[in-house]
Amino acid sequence: MAKKKETVGEILFTEDQIRRRAKELGAQISKDYEGEELIAICTLRGSVVWFADLIKNIDLDMSIDFVSASSYGSAQTSSGFVKITLDTEANLYNKSVLIIEDIVDTGTTLQYLIEKFKERGPKSIKVCTMLDKPSRRTNGMVADYIGFTVDDIFIVGYGLDYDQRYRNLPYVSYLTGAPD
Ligand code: PRP
């Protein structure tokens, strides 16, 4: 039987909704970190679109950096193996580190990143995620700032991919009929 091609479902969150949420969270972050030396770290690649929205709404003297931590295994589920394929350049020592995620799913990536960054002696580490999928969590990871909570469906768009595609969709949606 021929493989069924995946299709994009309904819009879950529009660009407008996401940007409004970025504004709210940006204001909250600006307040919470007042007077501190903040470094916002974008987790490539999925977070780039949300990251760009969010940092424009943070009113602080801050810097940015990038990390790429990929979990690998099957296409749709995290395998539990994570590796850093591109590390930050900045010295995180004594800095207030804010990790910006697109989605926290099992929490494996986040747990790994936090462990690694802690070794570098930051003042604090917090997490801001656009999407949270708590039903899939396999550890105790809880983001400090959450844009939206989603059900256990295969999310794409606004940075999130399936097989590196759909990242460019200007909204958050989901796939139906995608192979496992
Ligand atoms: C995705 C996403 C998160 C992680 C969440 O990254 O960006 O970092 O998975 O899953 P977890 O909570 O189960 O660890 P992915 O490794 O797919 O890389 P990408 O951002 O380049 O798409």
Side-chain angles (χ1 to χ4, degrees):
M1 200 171 84
K3 232 185 204 177
K4 192 180 165 203
K5 171 122 178 62
E6 77 277 3
T7 51
V8 178
E10 290 165 23
I11 295 176
L12 297 177
F13 306 107
T14 65
E15 184 169 30
D16 197 46
Q17 284 174 303
I18 297 164
R19 288 191 163 166
R20 265 187 277 139
R21 194 71 186 114
K23 203 169 180 177
E24 287 170 2
L25 289 179
Q28 185 64 51
I29 290 164
S30 307
K31 208 171 138 199
D32 293 351
Y33 284 93
E34 205 181 335
E36 291 188 46
E37 206 173 339
L38 179 70
I39 178 162
I41 299 180
C42 174
T43 59
L44 298 171
R45 302 176 174 122
S47 303
V48 286
V49 188
W50 166 243
F51 183 78
D53 281 349
L54 188 73
I55 60 169
K56 284 181 280 183
N57 290 290
I58 300 178
D59 184 18
L60 293 169
D61 189 9
M62 61 175 283
S63 61
I64 64 169
D65 209 335
F66 299 86
V67 68
S68 188
S70 292
S71 52
Y72 50 100
S74 70
Q76 291 205 23
T77 55
S78 298
S79 62
F81 297 101
V82 184
K83 68 173 180 181
I84 291 183
T85 52
L86 176 85
D87 210 340
T88 55
E89 269 187 21
N91 183 356
L92 305 185
Y93 183 75
N94 218 21
K95 299 272 172 60
S96 302
V97 172
L98 183 62
I99 299 171
I100 315 292
E101 269 287 17
D102 52 334
I103 190 165
V104 184
D105 191 324
T106 63
T108 308
T109 306
L110 202 51
Q111 187 171 33
Y112 180 82
L113 278 180
I114 289 173
E115 272 170 23
K116 287 284 158 200
F117 289 167
K118 266 188 182 161
E119 293 168 6
R120 303 172 191 183
K123 184 179 174 195
S124 66
I125 304 179
K126 282 188 179 179
V127 180
C128 176
T129 186
M130 174 172 73
L131 303 172
D132 186 28
K133 204 190 265 186
S135 59
R136 291 254 308 152
R137 204 76 85 251
T138 55
N139 55 28
M141 287 292 118
V142 181
D144 301 274
Y145 305 95
I146 294 168
F148 306 95
T149 300
V150 291
D151 294 332
D152 186 10
I153 48 179
F154 194 83
I155 304 287
V156 290
Y158 223 81
L160 287 91
D161 75 308
Y162 170 59
D163 206 12
Q164 301 303 332
R165 291 156 55 227
Y166 304 108
R167 294 193 197 273
N168 55 316
L169 295 178
Y171 49 81
V172 169
S173 185
Y174 58 93
L175 285 187
T176 55
D180 291 329

